[in-house]
Amino acid sequence: MSSNAESTSQRYTRSIAAHERRSRVIAGGVNSNVRLMSRPVPLTFTRAHGAMIWDIDGNEYIDYAAGMGPTILGHNHPRVLAAVQQALQSGQCFAGQHELEAEFAERLIGAVPWIENIRIGLAGSDMDLLAVRIAKAVTGRSKVLRFTGHYHGWIDPLLVGPGAAPTPFGTPPVGPGQSVAAASEIVMCEWNDVSLVEQVFATHQIACVIMEPIMCNTGVIAAQPGYIEAVKALCKQHGAVLVIDEVITGFRVGLQGAQGHLGITGDITLYAKAIASGYPMAAIGTSRELMAGVGRGEVNHSGTYNSGYLSVAAAVETMKILVEENPYPSLQKNTVRLVEGLRKVGNSKGLAVDYVAGSLFQVRFGAQEPMQNREHFAKNSDQPKLLKFLDALQDRGVRPTSRGLFFVSVAHDDRLIDRTLEIAESALASL
Ligand SMILES: Cc1ncc(COP(=O)(O)O)c(C=O)c1O
C-alpha cells in the first residue's frame, strides 16, 4: 500500500468499519444508490451545522453537497430548528389536515404567482410521477418526451438506463427490473436541439414534455436562448403539457426558480429540495384546471406521510426566511466569487467550472466553453481526473457532491470561500 493510500485509509478508519457493518445488513451499505459513488467508501456522518459537516472519524468538511441541494440556509438554521422543535410538541402524522398546509400553499403561490393550486408530497420522484399522471389524464395520451442527461427521479415512467442515448424512434434502454412497457412510453431527445423535438411531435402523440429548465444532473448546462420558448410553443401547438422540474433549481436559483430567472413558465412546476431545508417534502404546482382531476379524486395522488407536520413547519419557516431575508443577491455574489476563484486557480490545470445562475455550479476537467448537452459534457469531462480532484478536496476538508456539483448556502461566508479556494489550489497541485 502506498503511503498516500495508507494515510487515506487511516483518515477514514471508522467510516470504513461503519460501512462494513452496514453492508452486512443494508444493501451496498447505503439507502440511496447515488451514495454508492462516495469514496473511498460511503462515509458515515455524525452531525452537520451551518456550512460544516463532520464524519465519524472526526474529519471536518466545508459541505457543498448540502444534502444534495436542500440546505440552502445551511444545516440547522436556527429559525427552522425552532419551528421544527415547536412542531414536535404537536405530533407528526395526523392522517388528516392541519393548518400549516394552507399556510405553505399560500406562501408558495404568493412567491410564484403563475401557480394556482398545489399538492404536497414527500420527494421529488413522487411529484414527477404525479405530473406525468396528470398530463396523461388530461391529454388522453401516453407518451412522455424527456431529455438525455436530465433526471426526474427513480420511477419507471421516467427513469431510463444509465447512459441512455437519444432514441426518438425506439424504446430507451432500462436497468434490470425496470418496466420495458413503461419505457416504451418515453421518447428521448438530446438537450438544446429544437429540430429533434419537432421531429418527435411530428411522429408521436405526446402527453407532456418534461425538463430541468437548467440541466443540473449532467453538469450544469443552460438552455440555448429561445430553446425553452420554442419547446413551449411546440407543446402549445400540439396540445401537450410542459412540465418544468425545478426540484433542484426551485427556490435555489431565485425565489421564482429557473423560470423566474429565464422569464418562462411551464404548465406544471415541481419543487422539492430547497423548499424545506432538508426535511422530507416536495410540491407540485399548476393551474386549478390541470389539478381538477386530482381534487375530484380521479387522478390518484396518495401517501401516508404526505405533508407531515414537521416537514411543513420546516417548509413554512424556510419560505418565510427566503422571502423576508431575500438571501439571493448575496448567495449569487458568493457563488460567483467561488466560481471565479476556482477558474483562476484551476484553468491552467484544465479545470472548467460550469455556472449558469444562482448558487450551484459544476467542476470538470475539459474544454472551458459552455456545454450544450450530455454528449458534449461527456466528451469534455475527464472522469478519472475529476475523481482524483474530488478525493483530494475531500482529504483536505472540502465536500462537493460525488460528481462535482457544488451547492452554496447562506452559511458559506467569505472566510469559508477563501479557505475553499486555498484547499482547491492545494488539491490541484497534488494531482
Ligand atoms: C431534477 C430532479 N428531479 C427529481 C429528482 C428526484 O427527487 P427525489 O430524490 O427527492 O426523489 C431529483 C433528485 O435529485 C432531481 O434532481
Side-chain angles (χ1 to χ4, degrees), residues 68 122-126 128 151-154 212 216-217 245-248 272-273 282 403:
M68 297 302 276
L122 208 52
S125 299
D126 293 11
D128 282 289
Y151 177 67
H152 305 291
W154 68 294
E212 296 182 58
C216 301
N217 274 290
D245 183 338
E246 295 236 38
V247 164
I248 287 186
K273 307 213 186 238
R403 59 184 172 81

Side-chain angles (χ1 to χ4, degrees), residues 69 112 114-115 124 127-128 151-152 210-214 216-217 228 243-266 268-275 282-285 360:
V112 188
W114 59 88
I115 289 176
M127 299 293 91
D128 282 289
Y151 177 67
H152 305 291
I210 184 165
M211 65 166 72
E212 296 182 58
I214 298 169
C216 301
N217 274 290
I228 297 180
V243 181
I244 306 283
D245 183 338
E246 295 236 38
V247 164
I248 287 186
T249 51
F251 294 91
R252 174 162 285 281
V253 166
L255 199 59
Q256 298 189 334
Q259 291 174 92
H261 170 72
L262 296 168
I264 50 111
T265 55
I268 297 180
T269 305
L270 311 179
Y271 296 106
K273 307 213 186 238
I275 63 170
I284 182 169
L360 79 163

